[in-house]
Amino acid sequence: MAEKVAEKSVDISPIQQFLYCGTPKAWLDHAVEELETLLIDHAHCEKKAAATAVKLMFRYPERLDLLKKLSQLIREEVLHFEQVLEFIEQQGIKYRAIKPSRYAASLHQYVAKDEPQRFIDGLIIGGIIEARSCERFHALVPYLKDSHPELAKYYRFLLKSESRHFMDYIDLAKQYAGSDIDERLDFFLQKEQELIESPDPLFRFHSGVPV
Amino acid sequence: MAEKVAEKSVDISPIQQFLYCGTPKAWLDHAVEELETLLIDHAHCEKKAAATAVKLMFRYPERLDLLKKLSQLIREEVLHFEQVLEFIEQQGIKYRAIKPSRYAASLHQYVAKDEPQRFIDGLIIGGIIEARSCERFHALVPYLKDSHPELAKYYRFLLKSESRHFMDYIDLAKQYAGSDIDERLDFFLQKEQELIESPDPLFRFHSGVPV
C-alpha cells in the first residue's frame, strides 16, 4: 500500500505518453559514468530555464495570469539551480562553464519568425524541455539509487515540480494560441524524438545517444 | 522599548548615509496622489530587477558565490513582483505596460564599454537602485499608513530585503573590482542625485521632482 502511494506520487505516465520516445538505455548507462558533467549541465539548464521564463515575461507584459505562472516558475527554477549547486559542492565537483547541448538550440531553430506563433512555439518548446527533463529524472532514479541515494531522492523530488512546469507551459500555449496546437506540437515532438534517438557526440543532460 | 526594537528593525541610516540625497517632499506628496502608477511601476521594477540579476548570472558563469547571491536575489525579486501584483488586484487597479522612468536608463548610459569595469558598474548601479528603492519605501510609510495601512506595512517589510540587496551588490562590486571603487561609486551617486533632484515630467517609482 505504502509502495503504491509512493508510486502514485511520482506518476509520470502523462509525460511518457506526451513524449514520442523514452530515454535510450545507452544514454542512461553513460550518464552514471559522467555524473560530473550531468550535474554541471543540469545546473546550467535550471539557470537557462529561469532566463527563458524571464524573457517570456517581457513578451506579453499585460497578461497577469501568464506573468504569475512564469514568476512562480522562475522562483522554482532558481531554487533548483541553488540546490544542484549544493550537490555539486558536496560531491567535490568544480562547477564550471561547459558547452551547451545541441538540444535546445536545435528545437529553437524551428521557432516561427512572427508573433503570435513565435510566442506559442516558445511555450511549446518550454513544455517539451520540461517534459523531457522530468522523464530523464525518473529514468535516472533506478540507476542512481544505490550509488547516489541522495541524488536519486532529489531527482524524485524534482519530478513533481518539473511535471507541473510541463503542464503550465502546454496549458499556456493552448490558451494563447486560441486554436488547436496539435499540429505544431506534433512537429516539435518529432524533432525532439530525432534529437533524443540520434547519435550525439557531446554528452549532456538532454543529449542524444552517446557515440 | 518595544518601539525602539521596531525602529531598529527598519534602521535604514546606512542607506540614507550612502545616498547623496533624500527623496524630495514634492515627490512624496505627488506619489500618494498617483498610487496606481506607483504600484504598477513598482511591479515593473521588481520584474526588471530580476531580469538584470539573471543577465549578470550569465556574465560570470563560474563564480559560485556570485551565482548563489544573484540566484537568491532573483527569487526575492520575483516573489515581490507577485506580491505587488496581488496588491494591484486587491485595489482594483488594471495592471498594464507603462513607459519606464528615465532613471535606470540614465544611469546605465555611463556604464563602461569594456570588462571588467562594465560588470563592476552594473553591480554599483544595481546597489544604488536597491538603496534608492529602500529609501523611498521608508519615506512613503508615513504618507501611506493612514490611508493604506496594508501597503505601508508591506513597504516596511520590503525595506529589510531591499537593504540586504543593496549591501549584496555593493559587496560584490568591491570584491570583483579588486581595488577601491570609491571614485566610481561617487560618480554614479552624483548622477543619481541629479536624477532625483531635477525636474522630471514622468512620475514613476524612481522619478525626479514632479513638474
Side-chain angles (χ1 to χ4, degrees):
Chain A
M1 185 66 183
E3 209 169 89
K4 275 212 168 164
V5 172
E7 252 174 48
K8 210 181 169 193
S9 72
V10 288
D11 173 26
I12 63 145
S13 55
I15 282 167
Q16 288 165 330
Q17 283 156 23
F18 171 79
L19 295 167
Y20 284 3
C21 66
T23 289
K25 192 177 173 299
W27 184 91
L28 291 163
D29 288 333
H30 193 97
V32 286
E33 301 296 321
E34 267 209 65
L35 217 51
E36 184 169 325
T37 307
L38 186 82
L39 281 168
I40 292 174
D41 194 50
H42 178 185
H44 286 298
C45 289
E46 296 287 359
K47 197 175 66 168
K48 197 76 209 319
T52 303
V54 168
K55 243 186 253 169
L56 290 173
M57 277 179 100
F58 283 84
R59 204 78 71 77
Y60 278 80
E62 304 207 332
R63 305 273 179 113
L64 268 189
D65 52 343
L66 172 76
L67 291 172
K68 283 181 197 169
K69 275 261 162 62
L70 290 173
S71 187
Q72 286 159 15
L73 199 137
I74 292 162
R75 270 198 286 133
E76 288 191 6
E77 306 286 15
V78 292
L79 181 62
H80 297 164
F81 173 68
E82 291 162 48
Q83 289 166 343
V84 182
L85 284 189
E86 248 184 69
F87 261 106
I88 286 173
E89 284 189 305
Q90 275 168 17
Q91 303 282 325
I93 299 168
K94 196 175 150 27
Y95 182 73
R96 60 186 196 276
I98 58 172
K99 199 180 164 219
S101 169
R102 66 183 186 185
Y103 183 76
S106 301
L107 290 173
H108 277 283
Q109 71 179 304
Y110 300 110
V111 167
K113 294 283 171 286
D114 298 319
E115 298 291 1
Q117 194 55 49
R118 189 164 170 249
F119 181 64
I120 310 300
D121 285 353
L123 293 171
I124 288 174
I125 292 175
I128 292 176
I129 297 177
E130 296 288 341
R132 177 59 65 191
S133 306
C134 199
E135 188 267 344
R136 289 221 153 154
F137 290 136
H138 182 259
L140 279 165
V141 169
Y143 282 74
L144 294 170
K145 71 172 197 268
D146 294 328
S147 58
H148 296 82
E150 284 304 309
L151 186 60
K153 197 177 152 196
Y154 180 60
Y155 276 2
R156 200 189 288 268
F157 155 81
L158 278 185
L159 288 176
K160 289 179 209 165
S161 49
E162 301 290 332
S163 67
R164 247 187 302 112
H165 296 174
F166 146 67
M167 281 309 295
D168 282 347
Y169 270 124
I170 299 301
D171 286 349
L172 285 167
K174 284 179 185 165
Q175 187 184 329
Y176 286 96
S179 62
D180 207 328
I181 61 163
D182 288 358
E183 203 179 310
R184 203 67 188 146
L185 201 51
D186 175 60
F187 170 80
F188 280 111
L189 284 167
Q190 277 186 44
K191 294 293 174 196
E192 202 263 352
Q193 180 178 15
E194 283 167 31
L195 289 163
I196 293 300
E197 294 190 330
S198 62
D200 189 347
L202 192 68
F203 173 75
R204 291 292 183 264
F205 192 89
H206 295 103
S207 55
V209 178
V211 287
Chain B
M1 184 68 184
E3 209 168 89
K4 276 211 166 165
V5 172
E7 251 174 50
K8 210 181 169 194
S9 73
V10 287
D11 173 27
I12 64 145
S13 56
I15 282 167
Q16 287 164 332
Q17 283 155 23
F18 171 78
L19 295 167
Y20 284 4
C21 66
T23 289
K25 191 178 173 299
W27 184 90
L28 291 163
D29 288 333
H30 192 98
V32 285
E33 302 296 321
E34 268 208 65
L35 217 52
E36 184 169 325
T37 307
L38 187 80
L39 281 168
I40 292 173
D41 194 49
H42 178 185
H44 286 298
C45 289
E46 297 287 358
K47 198 175 68 169
K48 197 77 210 319
T52 304
V54 168
K55 244 186 252 168
L56 289 173
M57 277 178 99
F58 283 83
R59 204 78 71 76
Y60 279 81
E62 304 209 331
R63 305 273 178 114
L64 268 190
D65 52 342
L66 172 76
L67 291 172
K68 284 181 194 169
K69 276 259 162 63
L70 290 172
S71 187
Q72 288 160 15
L73 199 137
I74 292 160
R75 270 199 286 134
E76 288 191 5
E77 306 285 14
V78 291
L79 180 62
H80 297 165
F81 173 68
E82 290 163 49
Q83 289 166 343
V84 182
L85 283 189
E86 249 184 68
F87 261 105
I88 286 172
E89 285 188 304
Q90 276 169 18
Q91 304 280 326
I93 299 168
K94 197 177 149 26
Y95 182 72
R96 59 185 197 278
I98 57 172
K99 200 182 164 218
S101 169
R102 67 183 186 185
Y103 182 77
S106 301
L107 290 173
H108 276 283
Q109 71 179 305
Y110 301 109
V111 167
K113 294 282 171 286
D114 299 319
E115 298 291 2
Q117 194 56 47
R118 189 163 170 250
F119 181 64
I120 309 301
D121 285 354
L123 293 171
I124 288 175
I125 292 175
I128 292 175
I129 297 177
E130 296 288 342
R132 176 60 63 192
S133 306
C134 199
E135 189 268 343
R136 290 221 153 153
F137 291 136
H138 182 258
L140 279 165
V141 169
Y143 281 75
L144 295 170
K145 70 172 198 272
D146 294 328
S147 59
H148 297 81
E150 283 304 310
L151 186 60
K153 197 178 152 195
Y154 180 59
Y155 276 2
R156 202 190 286 270
F157 156 80
L158 278 184
L159 287 176
K160 289 180 209 167
S161 49
E162 301 290 331
S163 66
R164 245 187 303 112
H165 296 174
F166 146 68
M167 280 309 296
D168 281 348
Y169 270 124
I170 299 301
D171 286 349
L172 286 167
K174 284 179 184 166
Q175 187 184 329
Y176 286 96
S179 62
D180 207 328
I181 62 163
D182 289 358
E183 204 178 310
R184 203 67 188 147
L185 201 50
D186 174 61
F187 170 79
F188 280 111
L189 284 167
Q190 276 186 45
K191 294 293 174 197
E192 202 263 352
Q193 180 178 14
E194 284 167 29
L195 290 163
I196 293 300
E197 294 189 331
S198 61
D200 189 347
L202 192 68
F203 173 75
R204 292 293 183 264
F205 192 89
H206 295 104
S207 55
V209 179
V211 286

